[in-house]
Amino acid sequence: MQPRKYAPILPSAPLPYEEEFEKPGVASPRRSRPGACTECRNRKTKCDGVRPRCSNCVKRESTFCVYVDKVKAGPETLEVVELLKSLPEDQAFILLGILREKDDPATALSAFKVASAEGEGQISSDLNEQASIPAQTMLELELMANNPKAYPSLCPINPSLLAKSNLIRSMRLPMEVYGIDTQPVLDKTSAGRKFQLPVSPGQEVSYCDERLHDLRVGFWTDVMITNDFAARVISLYITTDNPLLGLFSPHLFITDLVNQGDRFCSRFLFNALMYLGCQMYSAFDKDSMEYAVEFCEEAERLWKDEHGSYLTMAGAVLLSLSLIGSGRDHAVLLYATQAMKIGEQLGFFNVAEVSHLRLDVNTSDDDTKACCYAAWGTFNWNVLISLFYRQPGSESPSSTPVLPVPGEMNIAWQEKTTAGPYLTDENLLENIFPAVCHFWKIVHEAEWIYNPIRDSPPARFRIALVEHTFRELLAWAEALQPSLLRVESTPHHVTVLHIWLHCAIIDIFRPFVGKRIGQQSRLRTFSAWDSSLDTAYAASVSQLKHLVVEYRSKFAASTYSILWHTGLVYLANAMLKETNNPESHLYLLLCIYGYESLSRPYRISEVIVQGLLSMMLRERSLTGGEAQRIINELRDGRLDCVKRDFESKIRAEFMLDMDLALTDPEEARAENLAAEFDNLALFQDFLNYEQMNV
């Protein structure tokens, strides 16, 4: 049987949407499929590609579900990869940092080539030259990639250069040859501190506000000082601490100060400010501390006649901070808590005893502004001393202020105070203070971590809540304005803000770290395989090292502002945990001499140093002779009035040994640790002598 012949079947005409793919050189469409995760690839199972976790990983209860997306690598990408493989380690690390910042390989490569051509490809800081790349955990790399504002890429610190730098040795002259016109001679070719202290009275200076030239100080105080001296001290405070404390508007304060008004300035507030300001100014004027004592007496006398107002609140907080520095710890809480009580009576805080806020439609915009600054400044300070300082007897505020955060208020005064040549410091305050307020608000909400015996959640929820707080702090950092980020031209206020950030992160993890491998708690919202509380804690310690080195190297405020010293305490505590790290001793000395530079304005520094040295002697990380030499250097630099004042006991009840504070708060106090110094130094020398004779 012959086969039947059929007519050939011709191909059908292409559909309209297929015509373009019939053209030469045009590939036909291909149905896209979601890529498989690495876990399914390894198991050779079908993956549905659902993100962040595929169905198979959900069923397997797998913690990690990682996708590696294929991308077309252009010539720039390939060149970047080759450079990372072939460049010296320090240059490769710089290129990697640029790549993380720029995100696009072509842009990063162009920026790197331009920097290299201009000679800027080298690490700018002397302490970063010729250093090996530090060991970084996968979690730290993930944080640097996803949260670069809180965890920027770090250039390594060279330990050999740090050991030779002026950051870990005394920089002061004996007081008999030290005056305001005498400064330590800095070797500009050496690594470390690169700044000079403010100029002498014989030289012309610019005040923070030109209106201070019209100041008549005799109206505000009975202390005999010149108008120029008062203007200098006020300028120093307003440009240094006020952006972080935010207790009053500089513009409104100076307006009444020079016009002798009483709405935004008072005798009590002026004398309290001058007490703190004179302590700060004594870093480079030895006569200033004598005035500080007189302003303290004047402020405490005026306090007895003060009536509750927002000016009283601001002055009480300044007095509280001043008394910490002078070692009169017994009165620190008195003024801090009284400031809170006045705020509660004025209706600034949401408490049961106060039914409404005592502001009405007739309250002026300027008065509202002053109230907001006083309320939030008082709240922030009370959170700081109750949680960071762990001041015994202190209580964290029961609520946040009911007033809006200054700088975020949609009222007319914002427009009124944005023009004029004298508002530089006002604008600076409005730029940074809202971020400060939101930071302390987050820390306040995590009070149960700091005070575990009160209002603690059930144990099974604590790790999740700690991670939630960590995420809140990261989100806060990622929302910071560009002017509040860590760059080469960062002002010192911004560096202090980031020091506080990493101190807070270290604090929230502190009660839960230090467990053996296998028992460490994990972070559930991070993809790194080593994402534990311990690695997150270590990542913030690494950031804190760089911040302390940066602050001590770049900013003169490191010698006369005490607001940053929490970073010294926390870094020293972290280094005492790293007994096997040979570099820990260098960072401990970095903290010790950080307090040495603060010891002239703040006599409390000597007690803190004694306490830290006691902790080091207890861990056998230095000899008794070396510890005694450091203490003698501090004592040789005392001001005459401070030498007399040391006859009375310094009170320092705040926590210094932060780990010991979790179990034995009494023993962890700064004054109790300092009291052990002499015995520990003698005992350590005895042990060393015995070992030499064995």
Side-chain angles (χ1 to χ4, degrees):
M1 182 177 179
Q2 292 185 346
R4 298 178 60 181
K5 295 183 178 179
Y6 295 95
I9 299 177
L10 299 176
S12 63
L15 295 175
Y17 66 86
E18 295 177 330
E19 287 182 353
E20 58 178 312
F21 298 107
E22 295 296 326
K23 299 176 183 179
V26 179
S28 60
R30 188 176 181 181
R31 187 178 63 181
S32 61
R33 294 182 180 179
C37 71
T38 55
E39 186 69 16
C40 289
R41 288 179 186 273
N42 294 334
R43 292 173 177 265
K44 297 184 179 180
T45 57
K46 186 176 181 180
C47 180
D48 57 12
V50 175
R51 304 192 183 198
R53 295 172 68 194
C54 70
S55 301
N56 292 335
C57 288
V58 172
K59 292 178 182 178
R60 289 191 292 263
E61 298 184 354
S62 176
T63 305
F64 306 105
C65 183
V66 180
Y67 290 88
V68 180
D69 297 323
K70 295 181 179 180
V71 296
K72 293 183 178 180
E76 296 87 357
T77 304
L78 296 177
E79 186 175 354
V80 167
V81 173
E82 289 301 319
L83 285 172
L84 289 172
K85 290 162 58 178
S86 59
L87 282 172
E89 287 185 344
D90 56 343
Q91 295 295 305
F93 192 80
I94 294 171
L95 175 57
L96 182 60
I98 296 174
L99 180 61
R100 286 178 178 158
E101 179 184 352
K102 303 296 184 182
D103 195 40
D104 176 54
T107 306
L109 183 63
S110 176
F112 178 75
K113 288 181 176 179
V114 170
S116 298
E118 296 178 354
E120 296 177 356
Q122 298 179 356
I123 301 172
S124 59
S125 172
D126 293 330
L127 294 177
N128 293 333
E129 292 179 357
Q130 301 175 352
S132 59
I133 296 178
Q136 293 173 321
T137 63
M138 293 303 296
L139 176 62
E140 187 173 6
L141 293 174
E142 181 180 345
L143 289 169
M144 289 179 176
N146 298 334
N147 304 98
K149 294 182 179 180
Y151 291 89
S153 299
L154 301 174
C155 295
I157 296 175
N158 190 319
S160 61
L161 286 179
L162 178 60
K164 299 175 183 177
S165 75
N166 54 32
L167 298 179
I168 58 172
R169 58 184 172 87
S170 178
M171 287 288 292
R172 300 186 312 186
L173 297 173
M175 280 310 300
E176 57 268 16
V177 297
Y178 186 88
I180 193 167
D181 56 350
T182 307
Q183 299 192 25
V185 178
L186 297 181
D187 180 4
K188 296 183 179 181
T189 64
S190 66
R193 191 172 115 175
K194 297 294 186 182
F195 58 82
Q196 290 282 2
L197 297 178
V199 297
S200 66
Q203 295 175 302
E204 184 179 354
V205 296
S206 298
Y207 301 146
C208 69
D209 191 312
E210 290 301 314
R211 294 175 296 170
L212 288 174
H213 287 286
D214 300 324
L215 173 63
R216 298 295 178 265
V217 71
F219 179 83
W220 297 105
T221 185
D222 295 332
V223 179
M224 301 300 293
I225 57 172
T226 65
N227 295 325
D228 174 69
F229 178 80
R232 285 169 175 264
V233 170
I234 292 169
S235 295
L236 184 67
Y237 168 77
I238 286 179
T239 57
T240 305
D241 282 0
N242 197 62
L244 294 167
L245 293 175
L247 294 164
F248 56 78
S249 159
H251 171 56
L252 297 178
F253 172 78
I254 294 176
T255 298
D256 270 12
L257 181 69
V258 298
N259 295 325
Q260 300 179 359
D262 59 1
R263 287 177 62 195
F264 308 112
C265 184
S266 68
R267 286 176 66 89
F268 172 66
L269 175 58
F270 176 83
N271 282 273
L273 187 156
M274 290 298 294
Y275 177 29
L276 176 61
C278 285
Q279 287 186 72
M280 300 168 67
Y281 206 71
S282 67
F284 37 88
D285 181 355
K286 65 180 181 180
D287 298 326
S288 180
M289 190 59 77
E290 297 279 2
Y291 295 129
V293 175
E294 296 182 49
F295 279 115
C296 175
E297 295 172 353
E298 182 81 352
E300 291 187 319
R301 182 184 62 81
L302 292 167
W303 167 258
K304 298 176 182 178
D305 300 324
E306 275 294 301
H307 302 288
S309 70
Y310 50 74
L311 298 178
T312 309
M313 293 171 63
V317 170
L318 289 172
L319 202 51
S320 175
L321 173 57
S322 304
L323 293 172
I324 280 185
S326 61
R328 296 177 57 190
D329 221 57
H330 59 285
V332 168
L333 287 181
L334 168 66
Y335 293 107
T337 55
Q338 286 299 314
M340 280 295 301
K341 289 181 179 179
I342 294 172
E344 292 171 358
Q345 293 168 0
L346 294 173
F348 294 172
F349 299 91
N350 186 18
V351 293
E353 293 79 7
V354 180
S355 58
H356 64 281
L357 176 65
R358 297 183 187 177
L359 296 177
D360 53 39
V361 293
N362 296 321
T363 303
S364 69
D365 293 336
D366 287 343
D367 283 314
T368 301
K369 180 179 184 179
C371 291
C372 291
Y373 275 120
W376 279 97
T378 299
F379 169 81
N380 296 344
W381 174 247
N382 275 270
V383 174
L384 190 151
I385 63 172
S386 63
L387 302 185
F388 267 19
Y389 289 172
R390 316 287 175 89
Q391 203 75 29
S394 64
E395 291 189 7
S396 184
S398 58
S399 73
T400 56
V402 297
L403 294 168
V405 173
E408 295 183 349
M409 296 178 291
N410 187 22
I411 55 179
W413 62 260
Q414 286 181 297
E415 298 180 359
K416 294 179 182 179
T417 59
T418 54
Y422 49 80
L423 290 177
T424 302
D425 296 295
E426 187 82 9
N427 296 335
L428 173 63
L429 177 63
E430 292 176 7
N431 180 43
I432 191 172
F433 193 62
V436 173
C437 294
H438 287 295
F439 168 77
W440 288 118
K441 184 178 179 182
I442 295 172
V443 174
H444 175 255
E445 292 170 353
E447 180 190 1
W448 67 269
I449 303 175
Y450 295 80
N451 299 308
I453 60 175
R454 185 173 62 186
D455 300 329
S456 294
R460 64 182 182 276
F461 298 133
R462 291 176 186 174
I463 300 301
L465 290 173
V466 167
E467 185 169 0
H468 174 73
T469 302
F470 183 39
R471 281 292 189 184
E472 282 192 309
L473 289 170
L474 292 178
W476 168 86
E478 292 307 306
L480 290 175
Q481 301 177 19
S483 59
L484 301 181
L485 302 182
R486 292 160 59 184
V487 294
E488 184 63 30
S489 58
T490 294
H492 72 91
H493 321 95
V494 173
T495 304
V496 174
L497 188 61
H498 285 269
I499 287 174
W500 284 350
L501 167 65
H502 289 285
C503 286
I505 293 172
I506 289 170
D507 247 352
I508 64 173
F509 290 135
R510 189 189 308 280
F512 309 99
V513 300
K515 299 178 181 178
R516 289 181 294 182
I517 297 177
Q519 298 179 349
Q520 297 177 355
S521 302
R522 298 194 57 78
L523 297 171
R524 299 295 180 182
T525 61
F526 295 86
S527 60
W529 66 267
D530 58 355
S531 55
S532 67
L533 274 64
D534 292 74
T535 50
Y537 174 95
S540 277
V541 170
S542 180
Q543 293 287 332
L544 191 56
K545 289 179 181 178
H546 285 73
L547 285 164
V548 170
V549 169
E550 174 187 342
Y551 197 72
R552 287 206 56 210
S553 301
K554 291 172 57 177
F555 301 114
S558 64
T559 65
Y560 53 80
S561 173
I562 200 171
L563 293 180
W564 71 287
H565 92 100
T566 305
L568 296 175
V569 173
Y570 281 46
L571 180 57
N573 274 266
M575 292 299 96
L576 284 167
K577 284 185 175 182
E578 299 183 9
T579 54
N580 296 326
N581 183 355
E583 297 179 11
S584 63
H585 185 74
L586 286 176
Y587 288 101
L588 285 166
L589 292 179
L590 177 72
C591 297
I592 293 293
Y593 282 101
Y595 279 112
E596 189 260 2
S597 66
L598 284 169
S599 60
R600 280 205 174 121
Y602 307 104
R603 69 173 191 158
I604 194 68
S605 300
E606 186 172 323
V607 177
I608 296 174
V609 169
Q610 281 186 311
L612 291 176
L613 291 174
S614 294
M615 294 165 64
M616 294 173 69
L617 288 168
R618 196 170 55 195
E619 298 295 331
R620 300 187 181 182
S621 58
L622 83 167
T623 65
E626 184 181 5
Q628 194 62 58
R629 176 183 58 79
I630 293 172
I631 287 296
N632 290 338
E633 288 176 350
L634 263 68
R635 291 171 178 169
D636 290 342
R638 288 177 183 169
L639 299 170
D640 292 337
C641 57
V642 173
K643 291 178 181 178
R644 297 191 300 268
D645 208 20
F646 259 87
E647 296 176 1
S648 60
K649 182 180 179 181
I650 299 179
R651 298 306 307 273
E653 297 183 345
F654 54 85
M655 301 298 112
L656 187 58
D657 189 328
M658 309 310 294
D659 290 323
L660 184 60
L662 299 173
T663 57
D664 190 351
E666 182 69 23
E667 185 64 26
R669 294 183 182 184
E671 62 184 15
N672 292 337
L673 289 168
E676 299 178 3
F677 172 75
D678 290 331
N679 289 335
L680 284 171
L682 183 63
F683 181 68
Q684 186 64 44
D685 279 344
F686 174 76
L687 287 180
N688 293 339
Y689 177 79
E690 288 293 317
Q691 291 173 0
M692 290 175 61
N693 288 276
V694 171

